[in-house]
Amino acid sequence: MNKIPLHVGIIMDGNGRWAKEKGLNRSEGHKAGGKVLEKIALYAKNLGIKYLSVYAFSTDNFKRSEEEVNNLMDLLIYYFKTKLDTICKDNIKVVFSGRTCNLRSDVIEAMKHIIEKTKNNTKCILNICLNYGGQEEIVDACLKIANDLNSGFLKKEALNRETFRKYLYQDLPPIDLLIRTGKEHRLSNFMLYQNFYAEIYFTDTFFPDFDEKEFDEALIYYNKCDRKFGDVKNN
Ligand code: IPE
Ligand code: IPE
Ligand code: MG
């Protein structure tokens, strides 16, 4: 593999359908998805991928039943608590993107804990999008920009696509490769600003069946892409 993307995004979709196919309940699907994320995050780190952004829970996922939402939040807390040592050992820094306002206080506490414990890690950044919406992120950035313009901290002339980035939830480079599992071909409000020139790999595989081999497939796909960024290349 000659080109390793700097930033990979994953829309981890298909947990519910995977469970249904097996006659299990949806939370079993989420549990199985969690295990896959653990493997893939480690694999990506070992390949030298510096930034991995994963879609764990969207703002729109609050439309689901209270039972499913609570199960998902419990699962996230379980992971943050039990995987902390491994994440630290692997030198992974965990950050979050999303709105904390309507999250449960125990979820917020667990998030703060993992942020604090991993803040000095340097090998790679795992950005977990939790209660995240891409449009919400852009609106929230605009509100912060409006404040800074009003106070004079930011000059209108200084605003461009790079400086805008600093007002997003995390100051991350653009996504180079976006992977979406689970058959659907859409963005579902995931990192709209950061995906502006992402190469997109869609797979029918439900996330609990996704593995290192298929991650390699996505990288092979990425290596074949002719990234032009609007320019003209003579092939
Ligand atoms: C993705 O799997 C995980 C979350 C959205 C939290 P889904 O739960 O959306 O699974 P499907 O799409 O119903 O199969
Ligand atoms: C996107 O999946 C959100 C996450 C993977 C967390 P959804 O299942 O919520 O997306 P839609 O509803 O199919 O667009
Ligand atoms: Mg889904």
Side-chain angles (χ1 to χ4, degrees):
M1 211 84 67
N2 41 11
K3 281 189 292 174
I4 289 290
L6 180 65
H7 189 174
V8 174
I10 310 182
I11 301 176
M12 311 182 288
D13 196 24
N15 294 350
R17 280 162 289 159
W18 177 89
K20 194 173 175 198
E21 266 187 11
K22 296 197 150 30
L24 302 168
N25 59 35
R26 295 181 59 84
S27 60
E28 291 298 324
H30 296 315
K31 221 190 261 176
K35 287 192 185 132
V36 171
L37 172 59
E38 225 182 304
K39 274 197 303 189
I40 295 298
L42 199 60
Y43 189 64
K45 185 207 82 163
N46 290 335
L47 284 173
I49 290 164
K50 290 280 170 215
Y51 300 88
L52 179 66
S53 288
V54 295
Y55 209 0
F57 190 87
S58 75
T59 49
D60 292 319
N61 288 148
F62 269 116
K63 292 172 188 163
R64 298 184 180 196
S65 73
E66 210 180 311
E67 189 196 357
E68 178 166 352
V69 171
N70 274 324
N71 276 334
L72 267 164
M73 295 302 152
D74 291 343
L75 184 68
L76 286 166
I77 293 179
Y78 165 81
Y79 267 100
F80 299 159
K81 289 194 172 155
T82 59
K83 303 298 167 195
L84 186 57
D85 287 346
T86 327
I87 292 171
C88 282
K89 191 172 83 325
D90 287 318
N91 203 7
I92 299 172
K93 177 174 172 174
V94 177
V95 299
F96 290 90
S97 292
R99 288 180 175 168
T100 45
C101 52
N102 40 356
L103 285 176
R104 271 170 26 191
S105 58
D106 54 348
V107 176
I108 298 173
E109 279 315 305
M111 288 163 70
K112 278 190 192 153
H113 188 66
I114 201 162
I115 294 168
E116 180 58 29
K117 289 283 178 195
T118 65
K119 68 176 186 212
N120 296 321
N121 291 355
T122 53
K123 180 78 181 162
C124 68
I125 290 185
L126 174 62
N127 173 40
I128 303 176
C129 296
L130 207 178
N131 193 18
Y132 175 86
Q135 289 198 336
E136 285 80 351
E137 180 173 34
I138 292 168
V139 169
D140 289 350
C142 289
L143 292 170
K144 287 185 237 163
I145 289 169
N147 267 334
D148 280 359
L149 287 171
N150 278 339
S151 71
F153 182 76
L154 177 70
K155 297 273 166 282
K156 210 167 65 195
E157 307 70 45
L159 195 59
N160 55 44
R161 30 199 225 195
E162 277 75 37
T163 48
F164 192 96
R165 209 175 97 175
K166 307 209 180 305
Y167 287 89
L168 298 169
Y169 295 133
Q170 298 293 337
D171 183 7
L172 301 170
I175 291 185
D176 301 298
L177 169 64
L178 172 66
I179 298 170
R180 181 171 185 144
T181 64
K183 293 193 169 88
E184 315 290 2
H185 292 198
R186 55 178 171 252
L187 287 175
S188 301
N189 208 10
F190 182 62
M191 300 191 84
L192 302 180
Y193 198 86
Q194 299 85 343
N195 273 309
F196 76 136
Y197 272 108
E199 303 300 337
I200 311 185
Y201 177 85
F202 293 111
T203 169
D204 286 353
T205 306
F206 294 138
F207 191 67
D209 287 329
F210 190 76
D211 58 12
E212 292 92 338
K213 200 166 149 277
E214 195 158 8
F215 194 86
D216 283 345
E217 291 298 322
L219 290 176
I220 290 166
Y221 167 81
Y222 175 76
N223 270 268
K224 285 187 194 143
C225 291
D226 184 14
R227 308 195 76 195
K228 294 189 287 203
F229 300 98
D231 203 346
V232 176
K233 279 191 189 164
N234 299 318
N235 305 314

